Amino acid sequence: MAQAMKIAIVDDEQDMRQSISQWLALSGYDTETFASAEDALKVLGADYPGIVISDIKMPGMDGMQFLKKLMGSDSALPVIMITGHGDVPMAVEAMRVGAFDFLEKPFNPDRMSELAKRATGARRLVLDNRVLRRELSDGTQIMKKLIGASPVMERLKEDILDLGQADGHVLVDGETGTGKTLVAHALHAVGSRAGKKFVLVSCAALEEDALSRRLFGPMMPEDAQLPAIEEARGGTLVLEDIDALTETLQAKLLGVINEQGTPSETRIVAISNLQEAGKTCEDALRSDLFYRLAALRVTVPPLRQRGEDILALFTRLSEQFAEEYGCDAPQVSAQEAAQLLQAPWPGNVRQLINIAERAVLQARRGSGTIASLLMSDHEEMQPVMTTEGKPLKEYVEAFERMLIDNTMRRHKGSIASVMEELCLPRRTLNEKMAKYGLQRSDYL
């Protein structure tokens, strides 16, 4: 859920502080007030979850000095300056230093509310992006995003940990929607380049000339970034849809790789989507480039090979969507669990995400089934089954594990509550938890 934004009000006049605070509180904001810049600086640091409204003229540290201190701590913190009549030149200077905007006394309260809305919106976006960047540079956190304990997922995680420590270029292939870009992030996050630049370019999203400029330059005056090869220097450059590179661009890329030598200054992670099209990346690329990029290789498994991971993923996703839509997650029956396990999942995890969201929405309406959602995605499939049959015992065990896992999570590890809901004696519950690798400590 989105973090509530605070508004710090800094003014040496108590009446002004209180009137601003009361008005913004009526607008639904969480406010805190400070009588001086010095007091405010004890609380306001980098990543402050909100914005600042400050008078520009105050005894001691004035608003301009205060603004410069804040910008030095967090240049993306929105600061709205309040100026007196005739102080517009000072307000303009504040904008140059980094103020978000200014209000001239006497100001219109509605104008202040509008500025606060824009500033808090901008701040929330900045903080969300920072959290995402930290998650994508934190090997521990990003590996947790690779949900699943199936043998193929365990092997994938081991491959990521091993290859992440290497210096060679990596080719990541697999079917559409399996999470290849997440794997590329993980390879960067668990290796020695984790603190360096991570640059991602989609080779299929740009025409040849534009892609050439984006990768190698020269950049145009309106471009606000370096060529990707330069931008990623020392870090990781991810090339999605590497198969889309023309022969000319393949030659340029090979030249850059050869110039950088071994070990390469910039690591390239190439992502290929050709696997399910009956072609391979090797068919699409010149052989000398292919063998340089495929020095190390990771194949991301399709969802249909991941067994019980399907139920774990569906449960996690449906809970997230239920929280987002403010309703209860749908309860999955044994029959529906078997249908999820049997589905061929041509769209892989991306398709599962869509199914989970639609399942939550239709459950909120009190209608529809998971089977109908699976069939609506692939109407020609009669029935929705994989070509590989599985013993009934596997489906039953997968459902049983999911049911215990969900119930333990819902009751936050309360064994007594789980026993009561599932009508299981303690010994039986303990035996089943041990069998399925479930530990009470994970739910507390």
Side-chain angles (χ1 to χ4, degrees):
M1 297 181 67
Q3 184 178 23
M5 289 285 104
K6 292 184 177 181
I7 299 183
I9 301 159
V10 187
D11 199 306
D12 60 302
E13 296 181 17
Q14 183 177 2
D15 290 345
M16 181 63 74
R17 290 197 307 272
Q18 289 181 342
S19 63
I20 294 175
S21 177
Q22 288 171 0
W23 177 261
L24 291 174
L26 288 172
S27 300
Y29 293 105
D30 180 10
T31 64
E32 52 185 341
T33 61
F34 303 91
S36 69
E38 290 87 350
D39 288 344
L41 286 173
K42 295 174 184 176
V43 174
L44 305 177
D47 293 330
Y48 176 70
I51 68 168
V52 179
I53 296 177
S54 173
D55 194 5
I56 206 164
K57 285 190 174 180
M58 296 183 290
M61 183 184 294
D62 66 19
M64 286 297 296
Q65 294 172 308
F66 179 47
L67 174 64
K68 290 175 182 177
K69 286 274 190 182
L70 292 175
M71 292 299 98
S73 174
D74 187 344
S75 61
L77 176 63
V79 181
I80 299 169
M81 307 300 295
I82 299 175
T83 70
H85 182 67
D87 289 335
V88 173
M90 191 179 296
V92 172
E93 173 63 13
M95 296 284 286
R96 188 191 68 79
V97 171
F100 183 82
D101 211 324
F102 68 93
L103 285 164
E104 187 177 2
K105 297 177 184 177
F107 52 82
N108 183 335
D110 290 329
R111 159 77 173 156
M112 181 177 62
S113 295
E114 179 58 31
L115 274 182
K117 181 180 179 181
R118 288 201 293 114
T120 52
R123 184 59 171 170
R124 180 174 287 111
L125 184 61
V126 165
L127 295 178
D128 287 349
N129 286 338
R130 285 179 183 174
V131 169
L132 179 60
R133 283 200 301 272
R134 286 168 188 158
E135 286 183 352
L136 295 178
S137 64
D138 183 334
T140 302
Q141 290 301 315
I142 200 167
M143 289 299 282
K144 288 180 180 177
K145 291 180 178 289
L146 296 167
I147 298 170
S150 61
V152 291
M153 281 303 289
E154 290 298 330
R155 282 197 297 272
L156 176 64
K157 293 173 188 177
E158 290 172 3
D159 287 344
I160 290 170
L161 291 171
D162 288 342
L163 301 187
Q165 301 298 318
D167 284 319
H169 305 305
V170 185
L171 174 65
V172 180
D173 62 7
E175 296 179 9
T176 297
T178 49
K180 295 185 291 297
T181 301
L182 179 61
V183 169
H185 277 290
L187 286 167
H188 176 78
V190 300
S192 60
R193 301 172 191 260
K196 305 293 179 61
K197 273 282 192 177
F198 179 93
V199 179
L200 188 148
V201 177
S202 172
C203 299
L206 299 170
E207 296 294 336
E208 183 176 9
D209 289 345
L211 180 58
S212 179
R213 288 200 310 273
R214 175 68 186 100
L215 290 175
F216 312 109
M219 306 304 285
M220 306 299 286
E222 64 270 19
D223 293 324
Q225 55 196 160
L226 292 169
I229 292 292
E230 293 298 320
E231 188 182 356
R233 189 171 293 277
T236 301
L237 172 61
V238 178
L239 300 177
E240 287 186 325
D241 296 301
I242 188 70
D243 332 279
L245 284 182
T246 63
E247 290 185 6
T248 300
L249 295 185
Q250 288 183 40
K252 283 188 176 182
L253 180 59
L254 181 63
V256 169
I257 291 173
N258 289 335
E259 286 173 11
Q260 291 199 357
T262 305
S264 181
E265 185 176 5
T266 301
R267 185 183 210 186
I268 296 174
V269 177
I271 295 178
S272 169
N273 283 312
L274 287 183
Q275 193 180 73
E276 71 272 29
K279 300 178 182 177
T280 66
C281 187
E282 189 172 359
D283 297 329
L285 299 180
R286 48 187 292 170
S287 59
D288 44 4
L289 177 61
F290 172 78
Y291 288 115
R292 295 301 297 272
L293 294 176
L296 304 170
R297 194 164 184 172
V298 176
T299 298
V300 186
L303 185 59
R304 61 183 172 276
Q305 292 180 3
R306 293 177 54 184
E308 290 180 33
D309 290 354
I310 297 170
L311 299 182
L313 277 164
F314 181 84
T315 299
R316 183 76 59 88
L317 291 166
S318 60
E319 287 176 348
Q320 290 173 352
F321 283 122
E323 182 178 0
E324 181 179 334
Y325 289 114
C327 61
D328 293 330
Q331 296 298 306
V332 179
S333 68
Q335 182 180 0
E336 288 173 327
Q339 290 164 344
L340 288 168
L341 290 168
Q342 290 173 314
W345 299 112
N348 292 291
V349 177
R350 195 174 299 143
Q351 182 188 4
L352 181 62
I353 292 171
N354 295 335
I355 292 287
E357 182 173 18
R358 287 154 61 193
V360 168
L361 290 173
Q362 71 178 15
R364 186 173 65 168
R365 295 193 305 269
S367 63
T369 63
I370 289 174
S372 66
L373 294 176
L374 292 169
M375 290 301 295
S376 68
D377 271 10
H378 305 282
E379 293 179 359
E380 73 281 4
M381 294 180 184
Q382 298 287 341
V384 183
M385 291 279 289
T386 57
T387 55
E388 300 175 4
K390 293 182 180 180
L392 176 63
K393 181 172 178 286
E394 287 190 25
Y395 293 124
V396 171
E397 290 179 347
F399 173 72
E400 194 171 62
R401 186 188 189 283
M402 180 196 71
L403 194 60
I404 296 172
D405 179 49
N406 291 351
T407 311
M408 287 291 291
R409 192 177 312 114
R410 191 164 57 253
H411 291 296
K412 297 182 172 56
S414 170
I415 295 294
S417 299
V418 174
M419 289 167 52
E420 181 179 359
E421 180 171 332
L422 298 182
C423 300
L424 288 175
R426 177 180 285 273
R427 181 177 176 180
T428 304
L429 177 59
N430 289 341
E431 288 174 350
K432 290 185 179 297
M433 288 181 65
K435 176 181 178 181
Y436 300 131
L438 303 175
Q439 298 182 1
R440 180 172 177 265
S441 59
D442 293 336
Y443 303 95
L444 298 177

